[in-house]
Amino acid sequence: MSDVRPLEVFLAQPRGFCAGVVRAIEIVERALEKYGPPVYVRHEIVHNKYVVESLKAKGAIFVEDLSEVPPKAVTVFSAHGVARSVEEEAAARDLPVLNATCPLVTKVHNQGKRYTSKGRTLILIGHAGHPEVVGTMGQVPGPVLLVQNLQDVASLTLPSDTPVAYITQTTLSVDDTKDIIAALSKRFSDIQGPDTRDICYATQNRQSAVRDMSKLVDLILVVGANNSSNSNRLREIGTEAGIASYLIADGSELNPEWLAGKKAVGITAGASAPEVLVDDVIEALRRIVPVTVSMLPGREENIEFVLPAELATA
């Protein structure tokens, strides 16, 4: 009987939850503890079905519109942020609101407001229809021009000497935006934008970890949801590196055929995917082949965001 050589499994570091996601989930959990169910959450708190379903089981009710929230019901805004019109509607209805918007998203909102207050035309680099983009465009007074790619930059009709400023969706990394920023800088003579250090640390770190991991593996599994922008991007980065890469929600979506002829598998997880789902994928691998698991070195993340004051003692 021949010995089967175990499949090497490498875990990217960092992976999974970022500080903004941890804070958002904790806001819902503490609100349920303090006020009792139900607590209403506008939009998925983070883009992950497992997280949403586990909060539903504890008494959270997810809605897409504030009109679905009964009078006086405790209401949570998701990590992606909301437009001013949503905040105003909640205030007009006197709803007790807990804002779980990621502080890095709020920072982008404030940057946008600051640029427009100085008379600059604002350009937002992001994905049309993403809730964060919808919220950001609705937070900034005045028009916001959305650019998704280099073609969008080329089709802007502003004169080249227009004073402009740009901000970016937080789930895009420095690497995702640098070509668009370079094209904007070439196109406009008077342009301002945030320091690259202001771009979401978690997005950049997870992408860098996948690039490093792609040098060691011949298959990449990204644990995350289909509607998670940052998870999809992690899969794309693996593919761009020439490695077969798949986005899966959990171990049940693992296709044994992907493992044929593979010696080393890399696993990472999007910023809204909990570690329990990574464990589930490893167990699914174990049911197919013997595996050895090791953690790759990577950037340590020790950022924590404070909770709203009314929940700090919950």
Side-chain angles (χ1 to χ4, degrees), residues 126-177:
H127 298 304
H130 188 280
E132 184 190 324
V133 166
V134 173
T136 300
M137 293 179 86
Q139 275 288 339
V140 177
V144 180
L145 304 174
L146 179 66
V147 299
Q148 302 187 78
N149 49 43
L150 294 172
Q151 290 87 331
D152 289 349
V153 175
S155 49
L156 290 170
T157 55
L158 302 169
S160 62
D161 59 353
T162 307
V164 299
Y166 64 84
I167 52 175
T168 74
Q169 181 180 330
T170 62
T171 49
L172 301 177
S173 69
V174 177
D175 296 329
D176 295 332
T177 56

Side-chain angles (χ1 to χ4, degrees), residues 2-296:
S2 65
D3 285 337
V4 178
R5 189 175 165 204
L7 181 71
E8 284 190 281
V9 174
F10 294 107
L11 299 179
Q13 178 68 17
R15 65 184 177 281
F17 280 178
C18 61
V21 165
V22 170
R23 175 181 180 269
I25 294 168
E26 196 169 344
I27 285 172
V28 179
E29 289 177 337
R30 288 200 182 201
L32 286 163
E33 280 171 34
K34 182 170 181 177
Y35 305 109
V39 164
Y40 287 79
V41 185
R42 186 188 177 277
H43 191 64
E44 291 187 347
I45 186 71
V46 296
H47 285 158
N48 188 274
K49 187 169 183 271
Y50 178 91
V51 171
V52 168
E53 291 300 325
S54 60
L55 291 172
K56 274 185 189 172
K58 294 175 184 176
I61 296 176
F62 291 85
V63 299
E64 285 303 318
D65 199 280
L66 286 188
S67 62
E68 301 168 65
V69 179
K72 308 291 183 214
V74 174
T75 306
V76 180
F77 293 156
S78 83
H80 311 97
V82 297
R84 283 222 340 256
S85 58
V86 176
E87 294 174 340
E88 287 160 3
E89 184 187 346
R93 289 193 52 206
D94 219 14
L95 293 174
V97 168
L98 295 162
N99 193 344
T101 301
C102 173
L104 295 177
V105 174
T106 302
K107 189 176 184 180
V108 171
H109 294 171
N110 293 336
Q111 285 165 341
K113 292 171 190 170
R114 198 168 62 246
Y115 289 133
T116 52
S117 73
K118 292 177 178 170
R120 292 188 172 269
T121 298
L122 192 65
I123 296 167
L124 171 59
I125 303 168
H127 298 304
H130 188 280
E132 184 190 324
V133 166
V134 173
T136 300
M137 293 179 86
Q139 275 288 339
V140 177
V144 180
L145 304 174
L146 179 66
V147 299
Q148 302 187 78
N149 49 43
L150 294 172
Q151 290 87 331
D152 289 349
V153 175
S155 49
L156 290 170
T157 55
L158 302 169
S160 62
D161 59 353
T162 307
V164 299
Y166 64 84
I167 52 175
T168 74
Q169 181 180 330
T170 62
T171 49
L172 301 177
S173 69
V174 177
D175 296 329
D176 295 332
T177 56
K178 64 177 191 292
D179 291 347
I180 294 176
I181 291 168
L184 288 170
S185 302
K186 203 170 165 186
R187 178 102 162 58
F188 297 104
S189 56
D190 183 2
I191 182 166
Q192 290 183 5
D195 191 294
T196 54
R197 287 174 306 193
D198 286 349
I199 286 177
C200 174
Y201 74 93
T203 300
Q204 186 64 46
N205 288 352
R206 278 153 192 68
Q207 292 188 9
S208 300
V210 168
R211 285 198 177 88
D212 292 342
M213 184 170 71
S214 67
K215 296 167 186 154
L216 305 171
V217 302
D218 43 21
L219 172 69
I220 289 175
L221 301 173
V222 179
V223 182
N226 276 324
N227 62 336
S228 162
S229 170
N230 74 86
S231 301
N232 276 290
R233 186 68 189 114
L234 293 175
R235 180 193 55 75
E236 285 169 9
I237 285 168
T239 304
E240 285 163 11
I243 308 297
S245 302
Y246 300 94
L247 176 62
I248 58 175
D250 53 35
S252 70
E253 295 188 354
L254 177 69
N255 183 341
E257 290 173 13
W258 298 340
L259 304 178
K262 301 293 189 285
K263 297 186 177 69
V265 175
I267 301 179
T268 188
S272 45
E275 188 66 9
V276 63
L277 299 180
V278 172
D279 295 339
D280 190 57
V281 170
I282 294 169
E283 286 311 307
L285 285 168
R286 283 191 207 282
R287 288 194 288 273
I288 302 165
V289 288
V291 301
T292 62
V293 181
S294 50
M295 180 103 67
L296 293 172

